[in-house]
């Protein structure tokens, strides 16, 4: 029995390695048509679906075609080609997992659940990922192992939950639905956090713009008027006046510098925010620090509860729960708790 399991695992590993070498993302376009019913005069207009598939031979699965629809290939449009490289959003991933969980709970097989889940996908890349999962599952590879082909979409916690539910048996649908609910709640919390932070940032931005306009337009005439009257200009006012002269003289250099700063911020803000120092600093900031602490703890506890209910090993539970928090402080806290109770 163990030799048979070893041979099966070896075959699955070989299949994954082979398909990793064969991954070649290509955009496909399909037209889905619903034939007119004999008892109805209502004609449903055809719909074009774009699929950015890693395996061209299985791209049609990502189009979400069903038995009541006719499908034919077409040429992708220019705009669709430009927008096809967009990453999968957490909202779309949560919708897909929810559709998968509902289908599995209703008794559908993994392959049929993937077909139904493809219908909830909105972006070409997610449709292509679903087609890739279907190709792997259809060849006997477990769903959790198939997810490892797409680490940018399925993180280690999703893969661990899927693997644990496969070992437990009969829990996969519930696990996917619980994970989808947790992701939807987290997305709502993130939107509230962004909304709470946007107001003070907008106020500060408007104050900065108004101060620049006043400094360039209103301050120079006032300074000239005081000079004509023979009054002494205060030191601080003279500083602002000199700054306004620099801004009006070298405005092109200031615009270039502003664009450079924005570009560098967008390029390096991600890596900098993942450093331990920045993560610790963000938690102690006034106003936003308490919100971030609650968000990190909610992420970690959600992951802990789902992994525990799925039957994952304790070491993996604490490691992934800490990683799900997204902050080094909580990662170290969960690691310390595990070391004390183990």
């Amino acid at each position: 029995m163990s030799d048979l399991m070893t041979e099966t695992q070896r075959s699955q590993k070989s299949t994954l390695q082979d398909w990793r070498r064969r991954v070649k993302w290509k955009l496909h376009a399909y037209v889905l048509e619903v034939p007119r019913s004999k008892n109805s005069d209502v004609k449903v207009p055809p719909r074009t679906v774009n699929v950015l598939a890693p395996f061209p031979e299985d791209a049609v699965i990502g189009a979400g075609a069903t038995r009541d629809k006719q499908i034919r290939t077409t040429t992708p449009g220019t705009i669709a080609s430009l927008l096809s490289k967009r990453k999968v959003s957490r909202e779309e991933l949560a919708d897909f997992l929810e559709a998968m969980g509902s289908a599995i709970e209703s008794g559908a097989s993994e392959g049929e659940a993937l077909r139904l889940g493809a219908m909830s996908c909105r972006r070409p890349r997610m449709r292509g990922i679903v087609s890739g999962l279907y190709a792997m599952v259809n060849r006997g590879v477990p769903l959790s192992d198939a997810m490892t082909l797409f680490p940018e979409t399925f993180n280690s916690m999703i893969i661990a939950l899927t693997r644990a539910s496969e070992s437990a048996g009969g829990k996969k649908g519930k696990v996917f639905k619980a994970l989808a609910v947790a992701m939807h709640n987290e997305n709502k919390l993130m939107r509230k956090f962004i909304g709470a932070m946007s107001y003070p940032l907008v106020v500060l931005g408007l104050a900065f713009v108004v101060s620049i306009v006043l400094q360039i337009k209103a301050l120079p005439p006032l300074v000239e008027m005081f000079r004509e009257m023979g009054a002494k200009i205060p030191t601080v006012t003279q500083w602002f006046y000199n700054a306004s002269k620099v801004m009006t003289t070298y405005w092109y250099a200031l615009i270039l510098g502003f664009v450079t700063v924005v570009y560098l911020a967008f390029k390096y803000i991600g890596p900098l925010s993942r450093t331990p120092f920045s993560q610790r600093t963000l938690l102690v900031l006034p106003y936003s620090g308490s919100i971030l602490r609650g968000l990190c703890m909610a992420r970690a506890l959600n992951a802990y509860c789902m992994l525990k209910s799925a039957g994952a090993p304790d070491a993996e539970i604490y490691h992934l729960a800490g990683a799900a928090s997204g902050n080094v402080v909580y990662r170290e806290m969960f690691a310390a708790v595990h070391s004390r109770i183990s």
Side-chain angles (χ1 to χ4, degrees):
M1 185 67 179
S2 60
D3 293 341
L4 180 61
M5 289 295 294
T6 305
E7 183 64 29
T8 303
Q9 292 173 354
R10 192 180 297 115
S11 175
Q12 293 170 356
K13 185 177 180 180
S14 175
T15 303
L16 283 173
Q17 290 175 349
D18 177 56
W19 282 82
R20 280 193 179 96
R21 290 191 295 266
R22 295 177 58 188
V23 167
K24 186 177 181 181
W25 295 93
K26 183 180 178 181
L27 185 65
H28 304 261
Y30 299 95
V31 177
L32 299 180
E33 294 180 321
V34 180
R36 183 182 297 180
S37 175
K38 296 180 180 179
N39 302 324
S40 176
D41 294 332
V42 178
K43 180 175 176 59
V44 180
R47 183 168 64 97
T48 302
V49 178
N50 298 295
V51 181
L52 184 65
F55 313 125
E57 58 268 33
D58 297 292
V60 67
I61 303 299
T66 55
R67 296 174 182 174
D68 60 337
K69 295 178 182 178
Q70 297 175 351
I71 187 167
R72 57 184 172 87
T73 59
T74 185
T75 304
T78 305
I79 297 178
S81 301
L82 294 174
L83 299 178
S84 63
K85 301 296 179 67
R86 291 188 300 172
K87 294 183 178 179
V88 178
S89 64
R90 289 182 60 85
E91 196 73 29
E92 185 176 14
L93 180 58
D95 292 339
F96 166 71
L97 292 174
E98 186 175 6
M100 277 277 295
S102 300
I104 291 174
E105 276 196 324
S106 63
S109 63
E110 281 188 351
E112 190 61 29
L114 286 168
R115 280 181 174 272
L116 294 173
M119 299 175 65
S120 68
C121 299
R122 298 181 290 276
R123 296 186 179 182
R125 179 174 288 273
M126 189 63 203
R127 297 189 187 110
I129 289 173
V130 174
S131 70
L133 293 177
Y134 182 87
M136 292 291 96
V137 170
N138 206 33
R139 288 164 175 81
V141 177
L143 182 59
S144 57
D145 291 339
M147 287 178 174
T148 59
L149 290 173
F150 313 103
E152 72 282 353
T153 302
F154 302 103
N155 56 33
S156 55
M157 189 188 76
I158 296 176
I159 295 172
L161 280 169
T162 306
R163 185 173 290 119
S165 63
E166 288 171 348
S167 302
K171 290 186 177 181
K172 193 177 296 181
K174 293 181 180 179
V175 168
F176 282 160
K177 291 182 72 173
L179 183 58
V181 171
M183 292 178 69
H184 280 305
N185 291 336
E186 183 181 333
N187 291 336
K188 290 179 182 178
L189 192 59
M190 280 299 297
R191 284 196 293 268
K192 288 182 179 179
F193 173 72
I194 294 173
M197 292 299 298
S198 62
Y199 177 73
L201 290 177
V202 168
V203 171
L204 288 175
L206 288 175
F208 178 76
V209 171
V210 169
S211 65
I212 293 296
V213 172
L214 291 176
Q215 193 170 339
I216 294 175
K217 296 295 184 181
L219 185 60
L222 289 175
V223 171
E224 295 299 330
M225 184 181 66
F226 276 105
R227 281 179 176 174
E228 291 176 359
M229 295 172 59
K232 184 180 179 181
I233 301 175
T235 306
V236 177
T237 305
Q238 186 64 46
W239 290 348
F240 280 105
Y241 178 69
N242 295 336
S244 67
K245 290 177 65 177
V246 170
M247 284 188 285
T248 54
T249 305
Y250 303 101
W251 58 269
Y252 53 89
L254 293 175
I255 293 177
L256 180 62
F258 177 76
V259 172
T260 304
V261 169
V262 171
Y263 170 76
L264 293 175
F266 275 101
K267 185 176 182 179
Y268 295 106
I269 192 67
L272 288 175
S273 64
R274 289 190 288 269
T275 60
F277 173 78
S278 62
Q279 290 182 0
R280 296 179 191 275
T281 304
L282 288 173
L283 292 181
V284 297
L285 289 177
Y287 185 69
S288 62
S290 59
I291 301 176
L292 282 175
R293 289 194 295 271
L295 179 61
C296 291
M297 182 57 76
R299 284 176 175 174
L301 292 179
N302 276 332
Y304 178 86
C305 293
M306 285 187 292
L307 289 164
K308 195 74 174 176
S309 62
D314 284 344
E316 196 170 27
I317 289 175
Y318 285 95
H319 171 71
L320 292 174
S325 67
N327 193 280
V328 65
V329 174
Y330 294 91
R331 196 179 305 128
E332 293 174 351
M333 182 189 75
F334 274 86
V337 170
H338 179 252
S339 63
R340 288 182 181 181
I341 65 175
S342 59

